[in-house]
């Protein structure tokens, strides 16, 4: 397989903001007196903001209107973005920067495929934006992973067919989305142990060996 493009999930792959998400959701859940712990938080990985909220509200003792849910999602996002403002290029590992640099030297086109609506902000805060040829995120999709829409749109922005692109994911929903879209599914972190993953990575720089 000839690979000319790589599409990265952002959180958990290039940077790690899981703790920020947890803190922001926890703040909302505590205010609503809804039980929320790290086990529930793990179910939110790779899931859109509104879908994540629905998972949290499963434990609520009453139902909420659509307007209330939108307000809750905005409340969580405001808390999350405040935490994101503390991020800088120091939050990106040397290994990630060196690997991205080598991929660009090889002429590989790079893109983001993330359900997060904050992807652009995170990229700028961390300096990762300079490496990306395209960004497909929660602002331009209507369907969340495991639907492949975010990756298909990224490939389209790169003007490459899915068969020439790898997707790097840390969540099983992302691996399922990559496979559904016809991409090579590369797993890191939890996704490296997923039985549907095409290429597991033990460390980010291993990506250089699959090309």
């Amino acid at each position: 397989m000839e690979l000319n493009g790589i599409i990265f999930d952002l959180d958990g792959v290039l940077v790690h903001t899981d703790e920020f998400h947890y803190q922001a959701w926890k703040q909302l859940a505590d205010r609503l007196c809804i039980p929320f712990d790290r086990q529930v938080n793990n179910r939110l990985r790779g899931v859109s903001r509104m879908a994540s909220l629905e998972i949290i509200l499963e434990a609520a003792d009453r139902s909420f209107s659509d307007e209330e849910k939108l307000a809750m999602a905005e409340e969580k996002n405001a808390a999350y973005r405040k935490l994101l403002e503390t991020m800088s290029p120091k939050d990106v590992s040397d290994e990630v920067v060196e690997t991205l640099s080598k991929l660009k030297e090889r002429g590989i086109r790079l893109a983001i495929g993330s359900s997060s609506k904050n992807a652009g902000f995170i990229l700028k805060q961390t300096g990762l934006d300079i490496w990306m040829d395209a960004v497909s995120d929660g602002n331009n999709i209507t369907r969340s992973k495991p639907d492949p829409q975010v990756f298909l749109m990224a490939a389209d922005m790169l003007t490459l067919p899915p068969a020439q692109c790898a997707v790097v994911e840390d969540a099983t929903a992302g691996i399922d989305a990559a496979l559904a879209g016809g991409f090579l599914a590369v797993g890191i972190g939890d996704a490296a142990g997923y039985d549907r993953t095409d290429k597991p990575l033990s460390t980010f720089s291993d990506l250089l060996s699959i090309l």
Side-chain angles (χ1 to χ4, degrees), residues 5-109:
I6 299 179
I7 302 168
F8 299 96
D9 178 42
L10 182 56
D11 193 16
V13 175
L14 298 178
V15 294
H16 297 274
T17 63
D18 286 356
E19 186 61 23
F20 293 160
H21 278 295
Y22 174 73
Q23 290 176 27
W25 282 125
K26 177 74 170 157
Q27 183 177 310
L28 174 67
D30 286 352
R31 183 181 69 74
L32 297 170
C33 299
I34 296 173
F36 180 72
D37 57 21
R38 293 186 185 276
Q39 186 174 356
V40 177
N41 189 62
N42 285 340
R43 295 175 57 198
L44 312 184
R45 297 184 63 196
V47 178
S48 72
R49 190 184 308 160
M50 294 308 295
S52 293
L53 178 61
E54 293 293 348
I55 290 171
I56 291 169
L57 294 181
E58 288 172 3
D61 57 8
R62 73 175 185 88
S63 58
F64 297 91
S65 68
D66 289 344
E67 290 77 13
E68 287 176 310
K69 290 177 182 178
L70 285 172
M72 290 175 199
E74 285 306 310
E75 178 183 339
K76 180 268 176 180
N77 191 50
Y80 176 61
R81 281 183 69 92
K82 189 171 183 180
L83 292 167
L84 290 181
E85 288 173 5
T86 67
M87 295 190 79
S88 74
K90 292 179 181 178
D91 290 296
V92 182
S93 72
D94 291 341
E95 180 185 18
V96 166
V97 172
E98 289 165 8
T99 302
L100 294 177
S101 177
K102 289 175 181 176
L103 290 171
K104 295 293 280 187
E105 287 172 6
R106 295 183 186 185
I108 303 298
R109 305 203 73 200

Side-chain angles (χ1 to χ4, degrees), residues 151-187:
F151 297 138
L152 291 171
M153 293 187 77
D156 188 57
M157 291 174 184
L158 294 177
T159 63
L160 291 172
Q164 290 182 21
C165 298
V167 164
V168 185
E169 264 283 355
D170 72 316
T172 56
I175 294 293
D176 290 340
L179 293 171
F183 298 89
L184 179 72
V186 179

